[in-house]
């Protein structure tokens, strides 16, 4: 390790309380969809301390709609600003985007939480709260890395572009807006919770809504109706089979440790209006994974024709076929070449800090990397603190040590990707 | 048939347009839970034309709560008045309650209706709209019968008590309030849609809410969570089995033509909050039938212990047992002695009008008869126009001819039950 590298790492180590404070401040501002404003204000307050050009803007739906990759159910980004901060390099280095999303998913059932989801606390080396892992922990690592470089007087040669974007959880319109505003680079790192594995391929995904029909009747003579709830059980079972068929096709060795490489998640179900009536409609919403080498269109038509085949299992669906909509969100898959320099530079930084070989895998979930690579032509690697299994869960937490360690790895990665004045 | 009986029937036959107009007016006023006021105003307008003591009152929750049979999720009956109208007899006859509920269930999915549910229309001898069958058609038959008697100068000996009650669809608090206000009689008729069969036993029922737990996770690694939606499918299947077990026990010949004598209906399902998350909770609401000879408490503990046994089928339920609440509504079953005079008098009236023997059955659904007989010690027979299978359905309708025919049968029944001055 170079002296300057050691200095940067030491700075981070000696400021871990600062890192925890920043993360708690970010988590304390609930930033679910449409409500990202106050958390972005915390980011902004931090960025204003840096020597950087800060750009804050509300994405324009009108502009976004011009882009073929835009797919969202949002009608406005009022009070949902994106932020970018550019530290201009002295020239001669490669440029780098550091991208993190500020939005978090809802907290789910409060009763499952042992703590208040938006009042973060630290217990036994873990910081608890919604978004600690996905992904305000990663964002904090980025900000700590940048601050460390600045505090230690590192002069980068390539441009460094930090982005705090909205709407990742709903399909990536925030990152798409950043691409459309002109932000591109020679490479990008997204510190989503990979448990410090390097994810060079990411599953894409899309949301679907399946409407299952029944025939209403009085509950006391329920046999005179047809329960949409019972029919929806057949639909769910059929989707489980489709998931098995789709995943059998995936042979990429990067997926060998992933239980289900491209899952189909049934996230919500809602049907019926009255306990004493037979339910006449059920709506099922979920998320269908897209393999790195698949197109969204191909996945859609496979699922649509699969559901159409339900009529061969149950005559009811012949007369009342399910309806499927691809609504709200879509995340493009991402596919980084296995020998790309991003991997090599990050591997070296990882080794310097951990003395170990990194694990290189494919991610079972989508990131904004799909938008950055497809729309922004910016190659993307995903690497960050926190474990996937914590994301979207009750009692979400991140290990403080992982947060600090990843900040150090990321700071060395930035120095060696962008290069710096010696 | 006596001359005066013929006169009454002729009056009804020659005023069928009036009957249809009244029914349409009642159906035109949407009277779902909490919104019964305007439909009751139509009833009141009609009653004010009669020689009767009219009583209009909003049931008091405070008073109702004193009664062990009260079970409702209502917190107020403001603007949900009950109505009773008493025509005092001249003495020496038996008293009779004519009881109909004014509330209707919601219209369900509007797209399934070919007509506007609350803009009734007549087509080919049928009147279409929410509540035509359940049970504003029956109420109209009662009002036509009473008007016919009055117009034809019939002087009853026994008291005749007409009741237009709220909240039947939610558990019978309206009728309970009428009982608590002192309305009792030697017998009662409730013109629920029996398709003019006589129902001397009625299934009771209760509402339940089952909460099924899961474990949330990111949809992309759904195998790290446990889907409450998938677990709820096991719960629903288990309830289907319980229904089979319970119905095998029922051997009463009155139920021999009923496909499922005491069904357990799963009416609503709701779970999950986000398409990309594994659902951590599902709530299932439904209606459990109570056989005429069962107590609600026995049914509750059978279902509770059945659900507890899920842990033997799936380890998950050992750690996360389902929770069950008996919420909102409960309808008591009703059990009229087979040789009760109500049946004999109604049978004679039926024969006079139809020249046929009536069908005597047990009903697969509950009525306010359970409250009238258990709380009010008033024996109850259920008989009315309209078919059960239309109740709570889209495109609900009633046959005009059945409405008129039942009005005639009911008018003869009243005359012969209460007796009249000759």
């Amino acid at each position: 390790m170079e002296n300057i590298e050691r200095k940067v790492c030491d700075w981070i180590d000696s400021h871990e309380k600062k890192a925890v404070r920043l993360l708690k401040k970010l988590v304390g501002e609930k930033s679910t969809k449409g409500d990202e404003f106050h958390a972005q204000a915390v980011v902004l307050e931090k960025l204003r301390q840096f020597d950087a050009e800060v750009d804050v803007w509300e994405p324009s739906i009108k502009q976004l709609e011009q882009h073929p990759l835009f797919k969202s159910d949002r009608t406005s980004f009022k009070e949902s600003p994106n932020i970018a901060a550019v530290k201009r390099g002295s020239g001669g280095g490669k440029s780098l985007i550091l991208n993190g999303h500020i939005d978090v998913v809802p907290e789910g059932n409060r009763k499952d939480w042992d703590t208040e989801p938006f009042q973060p606390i630290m217990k036994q080396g873990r910081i608890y709260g919604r978004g600690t892992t996905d992904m305000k922990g990663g964002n904090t690592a980025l900000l700590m890395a940048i601050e460390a470089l600045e505090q230690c007087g590192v002069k980068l040669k390539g441009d460094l572009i930090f982005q705090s974007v909205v709407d990742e959880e709903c399909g990536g319109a925030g990152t798409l807006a950043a691409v459309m505003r002109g932000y591109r680079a020679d490479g990008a790192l997204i510190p989503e919770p990979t448990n410090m594995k390097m994810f060079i391929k990411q599953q894409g995904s899309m949301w679907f809504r399946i409407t299952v029909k029944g025939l209403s009747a009085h509950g006391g003579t329920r046999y005179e109706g047809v329960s949409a709830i019972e029919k929806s059980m057949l639909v769910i079972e059929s989707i489980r089979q489709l998931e098995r068929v789709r995943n059998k096709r995936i042979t990429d060795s990067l997926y060998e440790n992933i239980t289900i490489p491209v899952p189909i998640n049934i996230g919500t179900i809602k049907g019926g209006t009255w306990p004493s009536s037979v339910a006449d409609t059920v709506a099922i919403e979920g998320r269908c994974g897209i393999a790195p080498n698949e197109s969204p269109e191909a996945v859609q038509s496979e699922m649509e024709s699969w559901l159409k085949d339900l009529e061969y299992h149950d005559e009811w669906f012949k007369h009342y076929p399910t309806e499927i909509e691809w609504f709200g969100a879509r995340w493009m898959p991402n596919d980084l070449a296995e020998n790309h320099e991003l991997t090599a530079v990050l591997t070296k930084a990882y080794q310097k800090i951990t003395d170990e070989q990194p694990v290189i895998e494919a991610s079972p979930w989508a990131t904004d990397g799909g938008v950055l690579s497809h729309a922004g032509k910016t190659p993307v690697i995903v690497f960050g603190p926190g474990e996937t299994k914590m994301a979207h869960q009750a009692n979400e937490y991140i290990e403080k040590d992982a947060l600090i360690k990843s900040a150090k790895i990321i700071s060395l990665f930035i120095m060696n990707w962008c290069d710096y004045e010696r």
Side-chain angles (χ1 to χ4, degrees), chain A residues 13 20 32 47 55 106 144 160 167 176 198 214 226 249 254 265 320 337 384:
Chain A
D13 272 330
V20 172
T32 46
L47 291 175
D55 180 14
M144 287 305 288
L160 185 64
D167 216 43
L176 184 59
M198 294 178 194
V226 174
R249 287 200 299 252
L254 284 174
N265 183 63
Y320 299 93

Side-chain angles (χ1 to χ4, degrees), chain A residues 132-198:
Chain A
T132 46
T133 280
D134 183 13
M135 63 173 285
K136 290 173 174 173
N139 298 345
T140 301
L142 295 183
L143 290 165
M144 287 305 288
I146 297 169
E147 188 168 6
L149 297 179
E150 202 158 278
Q151 293 291 330
C152 298
V154 177
K155 303 274 176 229
L156 296 176
K157 292 186 175 173
D159 291 348
L160 185 64
I161 304 160
F162 170 86
Q163 300 178 337
S164 178
V165 297
V166 297
D167 216 43
E168 191 273 345
E169 296 290 358
C170 301
T175 290
L176 184 59
V179 167
M180 291 176 80
R181 204 166 171 92
Y183 293 106
R184 296 173 187 217
D186 297 318
L189 178 137
I190 301 180
E192 288 270 12
T194 67
N195 201 15
M196 289 194 272
K197 296 173 185 176
M198 294 178 194

